[in-house]
Amino acid sequence: MLSTMQDVPLLVSGILRHGQQVYGESEVLTVVNAEGDVTTASFATVAERSERLAAALRRLGIGEGDRVATFLWNNQTHLEAYLAIPAMGAVLHTLNVRLFPEQLTYIVNHAEDKVIIVDASLLPLLAPLLEGMPTVEHLVVNGTGETVEVAGALRYEELLAAEEPGFVWPELDERVAAAMCYTSGTTGNPKGVVYSHRSTYLHSMAVTAGGSLGIGEMDRVLSIVPMFHANAWGTPYAGFMTGADLLMPQQFLQAAPLAAVIRRWRPTVSAGVPTIWSDLLRYLRANETDLSSLRMITAGGAAVPRQLMEQFQDELGVRMVQGWGMTETSPLCALAVAPRQASVEEEMDWRSRTGRVVPGVEVRICGDDGTILPNDGVSVGEFEVRGPWITGSYYLDPAPDRFHDGWLRTGDIGTLDARGFMQISDRTKDVIKSGGEWISSVELEIEVMAHPDVVEAAVIAVPDERWSERPLVALVLEEGTETTVEDVMAFLVGRVSRWWLPERWAIIDEVPKTSVGKFDKKVLRARYADGELEVLRVDPSQGA
Ligand code: ADP
């Protein structure tokens, strides 16, 4: 028996229209300098400009299914592109502005982008590559003041000014492509993930839900995570559909401007990777601050050290909640909101887990042989997920090895408990296989970084004759400190199992980072293999 319910498609134009009609007075604030000055536009204005953008793109020959790329910071124009491009039936392709030139060219050609909308400040990065991007027919420059010129480039504001508002959004099939994003390639070549209107709509609702970020009209969302990194974790659409102001930091992502922006514009919610938060914490210890507007910040994309969450709570009074997701999962899958039984003292234990699965997503763990393991909080295996906003393949690349009976294999290893809490211990590619047992590189890093004189630390597996692999700690120490590698080793004793204690250490200036700010262990492994790391040998029994 079928239901009597209407089968209305879930479309990005629905998000757009709702923000326009119901929350027309909510605002988008774009930061324009390091002092934190902003330009402001109402949702009504942004929606009207989105209509003009769609009309302009149509005039340029963009039809349904055509790819329109963005090479933009988080700003008002990027939001207009987020709304207009999918709503008109074209496909928004967000390009990561920090990619290596070869990867960028590869991605644009692979997606066959027809138009690229680029910030004037970013044009110097893109202009030299255009010759190698034959599908790109038009370049649209946002803002002014670029230092290079591209013949035939169009200007965003001129295109919009030449059009009328009132574009009629088409009734699309909710399953067609709305947007695409390539994985950042931490573990290999970038792969294209294509989101549908339906997946985008449902994911946005999941982000606004009370059990997750609970975003609504009372909020002002500071999205530090870039709009090219897994949809800025869903915050732009979630904000637009519920009337939350959107505070867009553009390229002013260093601790000093961020602190100024938070003090002046008082966001209530924010999202970013842990390295951003630890930089901000270090800055705020030395500078006057006011973070009292923030009711919650989310951190994810990499393991969040518990210590960082405690410091935010104790020193700044800010509640940080850890989340987990991937480009492949839109990305929100899990958010570590404590269960109701948790006492105040226990709350941090829960919050510092990787995440608790959100409604709409199913998660399970699998052993090496493909058997499903129990959700007992102890069995360790690879996480597999499925749900309406989880990818079922990659663009022009079915990659069957990444799927298992219709579930996405995440490449993350850990445990799952009976209440849906996930604890990730490592990535399959980073885990250290020592004498037939696994050492979690992530846990080891977190324990090393708990030492007050350690700025950051990354752990990689290196070959070992006896144990097959052993950990090597690449360590960044606080400038001018007298702390030695032996001191850090002594600090580790009792914090990790004895057999985890690493014999190999290397002091480095900075941990190399990927284009989205994660530790780039591929680079560290290559440096080790090329003999570039000066390895210090420490006898763990000396510390014990
Ligand atoms: P890439 O896979 O290229 O790094 P993504 O941004 O899609 O790009 O990264 C997803 C991965 O980030 C996850 O598979 C996981 O390994 C890692 N990750 C995300 N959130 C967390 C978290 N809270 N703790 C540990 N790892 C995380």
Side-chain angles (χ1 to χ4, degrees), residues 167-421:
F167 189 90
V168 181
W169 305 115
E171 259 308 271
L172 303 163
D173 182 330
E174 64 177 11
R175 293 164 303 177
V176 301
M180 64 195 303
C181 185
Y182 281 70
T183 61
S184 61
T186 306
T187 53
N189 242 346
K191 286 181 175 333
V193 175
V194 184
Y195 309 104
S196 67
H197 284 261
R198 175 185 157 80
S199 73
T200 304
Y201 199 103
L202 292 172
H203 178 258
S204 306
M205 294 198 71
V207 171
T208 66
S212 61
L213 273 69
I215 292 177
E217 197 183 4
M218 303 304 280
D219 282 310
R220 174 169 282 179
V221 183
L222 170 64
S223 181
I224 300 175
V225 53
M227 289 165 83
F228 55 74
H229 181 203
N231 307 307
W233 303 352
T235 49
Y237 290 132
F240 205 83
M241 82 192 317
T242 59
D245 289 340
L246 294 166
L247 179 51
M248 305 290 205
Q250 295 219 85
Q251 66 269 52
F252 306 102
L253 299 168
Q254 305 72 23
L258 281 181
V261 163
I262 295 171
R263 194 177 56 241
R264 287 183 64 183
W265 304 108
R266 307 194 56 75
T268 58
V269 177
S270 187
V273 291
T275 39
I276 288 269
W277 297 125
S278 51
D279 286 354
L280 189 65
L281 179 73
R282 244 194 308 282
Y283 174 84
L284 291 179
R285 280 179 175 156
N287 295 274
E288 212 178 309
T289 172
D290 178 9
L291 298 193
S292 60
S293 64
L294 288 165
R295 68 170 173 83
M296 170 187 194
I297 59 180
T298 59
V304 184
R306 177 189 172 120
Q307 202 195 11
L308 181 68
M309 307 181 79
E310 286 172 344
Q311 288 161 337
F312 261 81
Q313 187 75 62
D314 299 344
E315 296 177 34
L316 304 167
V318 175
R319 179 166 169 261
M320 183 185 285
V321 180
Q322 177 162 201
W324 174 84
M326 312 167 72
T327 303
E328 287 87 334
T329 66
S330 294
L332 179 66
C333 278
L335 204 64
V337 177
R340 66 174 165 195
Q341 300 89 338
S343 64
V344 175
E345 300 78 52
E346 287 167 350
E347 211 236 340
M348 184 60 79
D349 291 343
W350 292 103
R351 234 203 286 159
S352 57
R353 310 243 170 135
T354 305
R356 187 181 202 181
V357 63
V358 300
V361 176
E362 288 176 87
V363 56
R364 67 183 189 187
I365 45 170
C366 259
D368 273 348
D369 55 0
T371 51
I372 317 297
L373 301 175
N375 302 357
D376 55 10
V378 181
S379 308
V380 178
E382 181 177 2
F383 285 102
E384 298 188 344
V385 289
R386 87 175 176 165
W389 55 86
I390 312 292
T391 201
S393 71
Y394 292 90
Y395 182 54
L396 303 178
D397 179 3
D401 56 316
R402 301 289 300 271
F403 300 90
H404 176 199
D405 298 339
W407 294 64
L408 170 74
R409 298 180 58 189
T410 64
D412 287 333
I413 298 169
T415 59
L416 178 65
D417 77 9
R419 285 192 274 207
F421 276 90

Side-chain angles (χ1 to χ4, degrees), residues 142-162:
N142 177 53
T144 51
E146 63 267 31
T147 49
V148 297
E149 234 179 87
V150 175
L154 305 166
R155 300 218 80 92
Y156 188 79
E157 289 304 331
E158 286 173 15
L159 287 182
L160 264 57

Side-chain angles (χ1 to χ4, degrees), residues 275 279 455-458 474-477 506-514 519-520 523-524 527 533:
T275 39
D279 286 354
V455 177
E456 50 185 15
L475 189 67
V476 182
L477 288 170
I507 295 184
I508 56 174
D509 293 336
E510 194 187 351
V511 175
K513 310 273 178 1
T514 69
F519 288 178
D520 197 338
V523 171
L524 270 183
R527 278 193 203 159
L533 294 182

